[in-house]
Structure formats: C-alpha cells, structure tokens
Amino acid sequence: MKITELKSMSLIMVLAMMIMTAFTACSDDDNEGNKTVVFPELANISSAAGETTELSFEASADWELSSNTGWCKFQNGEFLESLIYGKAGKQTVTIMTSADGQNYNEDAVAEITLKMGNASQVIYKVTRAKREYADLVVSDEAGNIYDRTHPLTIKGNTATSPVYTVIKAQAESGVKIGFTNPEWLSYVIDEKKGTYQFTFNTANTSGLNPKYPITGNSYTLTFVTEDATTAKTDKVRKVEIPVVYEGLQRDAIGISPMYLNALASVTGEELSDDTGILEQMQSTVTVYNDEFETVVFAMKNQDGEFSYDFNSTVNWLHAVTGTGSNKDKVTVTADLNENTEERAATVMVFPKAVYDEIKSNWAGNLIDESTGDIKSNYANNVMTNITQEAWQEQGDRIKFKALFMYAYDYDQTGFRNIKDFFEGTVIKFEDLENSDGVGEYNVTDNNVWKATIPKSLLKKFDEIGEPGHGPGKIIFEPVEAATDQEITEKASHAGISSEKMSGQAWSQDARKLVRINGIGFCFDNTSYETYANDYQLVVKGEGEEILALCIVEVFDDTQSQTTF
C-alpha cells in the first residue's frame, strides 16, 4: 500500500510541475509583447546653416528617425535623407543643416522624431538661427580693404597688353553682389573664385588714353548687395570706392611704325624702308605721360660692316620730337652725304624712367656682347636702323644699263619688282665712241652709246600690261655717273611715256632689295611698230653740257626667240 501511494504522489507532483511550467511560459510571452519602450528625453540644440551636427540616442528596439523639414536632413554617405532606420542599441547619426528657406526675420525649428514599434516621440528640436546680415567688404586678395578712404589703384597696362587688378567683394553667404564702374574700366568676373578683375579699357569713349594716369576723386567704383535698398540693418550694404589709374607702366613703350631697314638717299631728301618710299619717317611713341627721350647712336663702318660707336656724335641724322598735339611724334630727317662711304645710325626712344636708369653706360646696358647687337629686351626701343648712301664721284666714262620692271608697279609687299639684264642678254649696249660721225652729237669725249631693244620684248610688255597699271617699263640707269648727275630725256617723244624711277626695288635676280635711280619708259600701245629709232637719253653736267648720250633703237627679232 505504501508503495502504491508514493507512486501516486510522484505522478501528481510531475503533473503539477508540468502545469506550472506551461503557465509560466505563457505568462513570459505575454509580457514581451506588451513591454514598454523607453524614449530618450527631448533635447534642444542649435545648428547653423551649412553645418553638420551629431545626434546621439539609445533605442530599446528597432527604430526609425525622421525630420519634419527640408532644411534639416540626415547624412547617409553621399546622400541626404529625411528618414533613416536602425537596430536597437546606442546610436549616433549626423544631420546637415542647409540655408533653404532661411530668412532675416525669424529662427526656424526642425523636429526629429524617433519611432519604435507603434510608438513615436520627438527627441530633438533643432533650431536654425535666422539669417544675419554681414558687412559688405571689398578688398584685394591679401585682405587689404577698399572703401571711400582707401582708393583702388588700377595697375598700369603695358604698351601692348592689359594688366588686371584683382579684388574681392564679400558679404553673408549666398547674397548677390553687383557693381557700377566708370566707362574707362573693363572687367572680367570669376564667379568660381569670387573675384573681379579690372583693367583700363582702351576702347573707352571718354577720350581717356592708357598712357596717362588718372588721379583725384573724379571716378568711383561702387559695390552693392542685391538688397541694399530694402535691408533693415546697420550692416554695410554699399561700398563706394574712389578709383584711380597708374598710367602706362613706366618701362613700357610702343613705337609705330618702326623703320628697321631704312635707307636714305645721298641728298637725304628720299627715305625708304621695307615698305617702299616714305613720305616722311615719323613714328608715334606711346609711353607713360608722353615722357620719353630720343637718342641717335652712331655706327662705325669697318670694311663694310657696321658696329655701334657710343663715343661719336651723329650730326647728319636728326630725330625731332613734336610739340603740342604732336608731342608724341618723332620725325627723322637726313642731311646730304658728301662722303664717298656709306654711313649708318640707329635712332632709339626710351621712356624717361628707363633713360635715366641706363644713360650712364649705353654700351654696357644696350649691347649683347655675344652678338654686338642691341639686347632683345631693348628691341622695342628701336625706331629705325638707317643707312645713307655714299656720294658717288663721276667715273672715267659714264655707261648705261637696263632693268625691266614688271607690269605691276608694286607687288603685294609694296616693292617694285625688277629684273636685271646683265651682259646684254636681251638689251644690248654698243659703244659708239669711235664710230663715224659721232662728233655730231656734241657729247663730251664722244661718250655715245646705242641700246638695241628686241621688238619681241616690247610685244611682251603689251601682253602683260594690266588695266590701271600700264605695260611694263624699261629702266635705264647711268653707270659711274656722279650722285648729282641723273639721266633724263634729251627731248620728249610722242609715242613714248617716261618717268623718273628711284628708290628701293626687289631684284628678282639678286633676290634682295636694291637701289634704283634712273628713268623708266614704255612705248604707248604699238607705237614701236612705226618707231624711227630717234629716242635719246642723256646725262648732263652742271653747265648743261651732255656728258653721256644713249640712242634707243628697236630691232625686229621675229626670226629668233628671245627669253627674258
């Protein structure tokens, strides 16, 4: 019996424990589902526009965080989001505060709401202060201030290029800034850098010249914020700056035109350069405030080679500065050269500041010892390198030579084009000194010549003649005549047109510029068909005596082919 009772009690106890365990399990499950989540206490913080701020909290369950404004968002890597999620535990998130919708009147508040399960609560209030006005400040890149008592000086240009003065204008972030400027200022705005680059406007319509300084308080550069007339603040919203200009840089120079390969005739009355015959040799000089000095340097001739001679004075070449409205002009003239050698000189112009700096040692400052020429940094100071022809004495016997000038008087570079007829290959000259009846011409020492011109050449002239230019010309020059002796017509001819031909020309044979000084003539239309071989050219002496005579004849060469 006892044994039976014990077994029964054990069974009852087991069943009881099973029931209690089941009940306990059910009770625990019900408590987890109804567990109360704990929210952090509300925190008030401030975050300025453009700032990022970290928010920390502890979540007792999976959570969701949201912002109720567009200007306060959560930073998630490269993205900004209004809603983010996470797991239970300690958390730190970052918010980004923007300036969207910010005004000058009131602060803005964003609410950050935490949601866990079915419950939610505001855990942060983020205050973004209202927009504050800032002073409008204009400065250079180093921070030096410009205002009514601190004028802006615009840097001087070079003679050929603008030089920019860079400034900055700043107020509170995002505000637009504008400016008004004098018409003689041009500008470039670099929005990325927030800078303004100003320079003298050479195309101004005010008649102002970049070489002259601008001083005083006549001109103002004014910067203003877009709300300058409406803002209710004591902050500076408008800055007026007196603006002045330095004038051209003190070492800058412009010379126009420059005559770098100039030639003066023996008499000095005719000047020419690479562009042809010059009406005058005059340059306009552009320097600071028209303050410049002109210097003429001598060149010494050593076996036909010229080098600078800073110890000699040049008295045959004159460089004269104008006056009044022409004070920026330099005019060069040459005297008669009575010497039998060429002579040369260089005219240079220097800004006054440069002249004062280097005048004590011309050779040391100007000459490149390796080349003997003017240093490259002074190349723009050269107005002209000029050579004057030597006086030519009359030789034992005056002769003649012929040149052919093309139908166009000048080519595209401005030079006459000529072709030499050497060795009588086309036009032949015959000395008649010992011919019968030569004395009847009454020429000193019977210095009489005959030039024969093939008819085919004259026909060729007709073919290449151009409207407005006429046919090509034959140029006769005297050889071994004195400088003051020139070739002329003995008498005009009804079927022939002529003109004096002098100056520089481009020689097709020599491939260089050469000097011509003779008479050019051509037959009018086909007058050479009936020409009587009676055209004569002469060289006369001081007493009008005939020193040399050339009879021009035309012969029919239709049986042969002439090349020229």
Side-chain angles (χ1 to χ4, degrees):
M1 290 293 292
K2 290 184 179 177
I3 295 174
T4 302
E5 291 177 352
L6 288 172
K7 289 182 178 178
S8 298
M9 288 295 293
S10 297
L11 180 60
I12 293 170
M13 290 179 68
V14 170
L15 289 172
M17 291 179 66
M18 290 176 64
I19 292 170
M20 290 178 64
T21 301
F23 179 82
T24 302
C26 290
S27 176
D28 288 346
D29 288 345
D30 289 346
N31 287 341
E32 180 67 22
N34 296 321
K35 185 177 181 179
T36 302
V37 294
V38 179
F39 286 92
E41 291 186 4
L42 174 65
N44 292 292
I45 63 171
S46 296
S47 182
E51 287 185 354
T52 57
T53 305
E54 289 188 345
L55 305 182
S56 297
F57 62 95
E58 184 172 358
S60 57
D62 293 349
W63 55 270
E64 176 184 292
L65 207 61
S66 61
S67 170
N68 70 338
T69 67
W71 56 262
C72 180
K73 292 187 176 183
F74 304 103
Q75 194 170 56
N76 184 10
E78 296 180 358
F79 301 97
L80 295 176
E81 299 176 348
S82 298
L83 188 69
I84 58 174
Y85 306 87
K87 295 290 185 179
K90 293 183 179 181
Q91 311 293 330
T92 299
V93 299
T94 301
I95 59 170
M96 174 69 188
T97 306
S98 73
D100 294 348
Q102 188 180 30
N103 59 53
Y104 294 97
N105 301 319
E106 58 185 3
D107 296 342
V109 177
E111 293 183 345
I112 305 297
T113 300
L114 176 64
K115 180 180 180 183
M116 292 185 290
N118 295 322
S120 62
Q121 185 172 309
V122 176
I123 63 170
Y124 276 99
K125 287 188 177 181
V126 182
T127 300
R128 182 188 67 181
K130 63 183 178 182
R131 193 173 187 181
E132 293 291 339
Y133 287 101
D135 286 328
L136 171 61
V137 177
V138 183
S139 67
D140 62 16
E141 292 182 294
N144 298 306
I145 301 299
Y146 297 116
D147 55 26
R148 183 167 288 282
T149 58
H150 298 87
L152 170 64
T153 299
I154 302 299
K155 296 176 182 177
N157 287 354
T158 70
T160 57
S161 304
V163 175
Y164 289 93
T165 302
V166 182
I167 65 175
K168 299 169 65 176
Q170 296 175 305
E172 65 271 18
S173 175
V175 69
K176 292 183 179 179
I177 300 172
F179 63 89
T180 56
N181 59 289
E183 191 262 347
W184 58 266
L185 272 183
S186 60
Y187 57 87
V188 176
I189 301 175
D190 189 329
E191 294 183 353
K192 187 174 182 180
K193 293 182 178 179
T195 60
Y196 305 80
Q197 302 176 52
F198 292 96
T199 189
F200 188 94
N201 177 17
T202 55
N204 74 84
T205 59
S206 304
L208 299 174
N209 193 301
K211 60 186 177 181
Y212 302 125
I214 298 174
T215 59
N217 297 314
S218 299
Y219 300 98
T220 301
L221 177 62
T222 302
F223 282 86
V224 294
T225 60
E226 61 181 333
D227 58 1
T229 59
T230 59
K232 297 177 180 179
T233 178
D234 58 354
K235 298 294 185 180
V236 176
R237 311 303 283 169
K238 180 178 181 179
V239 178
E240 295 178 315
I241 308 167
V243 59
V244 297
Y245 171 60
E246 287 183 341
L248 211 63
Q249 292 184 4
R250 301 304 187 266
D251 61 348
I253 188 168
I255 301 175
S256 180
M258 302 171 79
Y259 308 93
L260 301 184
N261 296 295
L263 184 66
S265 65
V266 175
T267 63
E269 296 177 356
E270 182 181 276
L271 302 176
S272 57
D273 72 348
D274 290 349
T275 64
I277 304 300
L278 305 171
E279 292 185 8
Q280 64 175 346
M281 186 179 288
Q282 184 181 83
S283 296
T284 299
V285 178
T286 302
V287 296
Y288 170 79
N289 214 27
D290 293 325
E291 297 173 1
F292 63 86
E293 298 288 341
T294 303
V295 186
V296 181
F297 296 114
M299 305 285 287
K300 56 185 177 183
N301 189 343
Q302 295 178 322
D303 300 325
E305 295 291 332
F306 288 100
S307 59
Y308 287 94
D309 182 4
F310 295 103
N311 297 318
S312 298
T313 301
V314 179
N315 53 22
W316 60 271
L317 193 70
H318 311 284
V320 179
T321 303
T323 59
S325 60
N326 291 319
K327 61 184 177 181
D328 59 348
K329 304 289 192 297
V330 175
T331 303
V332 172
T333 58
D335 294 338
L336 169 69
N337 185 7
E338 296 178 334
N339 301 317
T340 56
E341 289 187 352
E342 287 184 336
R343 56 189 181 185
T346 295
V347 178
M348 299 187 72
V349 185
F350 302 97
K352 184 66 165 57
V354 176
Y355 174 84
D356 290 339
E357 181 181 348
I358 68 175
K359 65 181 179 180
S360 61
N361 183 9
W362 291 121
N365 288 313
L366 294 180
I367 299 301
D368 183 336
E369 293 183 358
S370 64
T371 64
D373 293 329
I374 298 294
K375 292 177 181 177
S376 58
N377 55 309
Y378 290 107
N380 290 334
N381 297 92
V382 178
M383 175 182 171
T384 182
N385 295 314
I386 186 168
T387 301
Q388 186 174 32
E389 295 177 316
W391 180 272
Q392 177 69 46
E393 297 289 347
Q394 181 181 333
D396 294 336
R397 183 171 175 76
I398 298 175
K399 306 176 184 66
F400 297 90
K401 70 175 182 179
L403 307 171
F404 163 50
M405 189 181 74
Y406 286 82
Y408 285 102
D409 280 0
Y410 295 91
D411 68 6
Q412 65 271 20
T413 62
F415 298 114
R416 286 169 167 153
N417 277 303
I418 61 172
K419 186 173 180 64
D420 300 328
F421 291 133
F422 293 117
E423 301 176 359
T425 55
V426 178
I427 299 177
K428 296 182 179 180
F429 290 91
E430 180 183 355
D431 188 353
L432 303 181
E433 180 183 13
N434 298 316
S435 63
D436 294 338
V438 68
E440 296 177 5
Y441 291 104
N442 295 318
V443 177
T444 301
D445 297 329
N446 292 333
N447 193 6
V448 180
W449 295 78
K450 179 174 69 174
T452 53
I453 305 174
K455 186 179 291 186
S456 62
L457 176 62
L458 301 178
K459 287 184 177 180
K460 187 67 175 179
F461 279 13
D462 284 340
E463 294 173 6
I464 64 175
E466 296 287 341
H469 296 278
K473 291 182 174 64
I474 298 172
I475 303 172
F476 275 25
E477 289 187 324
V479 179
E480 295 192 27
T483 294
D484 56 351
Q485 298 168 352
E486 60 182 16
I487 185 172
T488 61
E489 294 177 327
K490 184 176 182 182
S492 60
H493 193 282
I496 296 177
S497 298
S498 67
E499 64 174 313
K500 180 180 178 181
M501 306 291 290
S502 63
Q504 293 192 94
W506 178 258
S507 170
Q508 296 291 333
D509 293 284
R511 305 305 299 171
K512 66 178 182 179
L513 287 173
V514 297
R515 186 78 176 164
I516 59 173
N517 186 19
I519 187 169
F521 64 92
C522 62
F523 286 82
D524 299 334
N525 299 319
T526 58
S527 59
Y528 54 84
E529 296 286 1
T530 57
Y531 172 61
N533 292 332
D534 53 355
Y535 186 55
Q536 298 179 5
L537 301 172
V538 297
V539 177
K540 294 183 178 181
E542 292 183 1
E544 290 298 304
E545 69 277 16
I546 298 176
L547 302 178
L549 178 143
C550 184
I551 304 166
V552 178
E553 292 189 357
V554 175
F555 73 96
D556 190 350
D557 62 337
T558 55
Q559 302 303 316
S560 62
Q561 182 65 39
T562 303
T563 302
F564 54 89

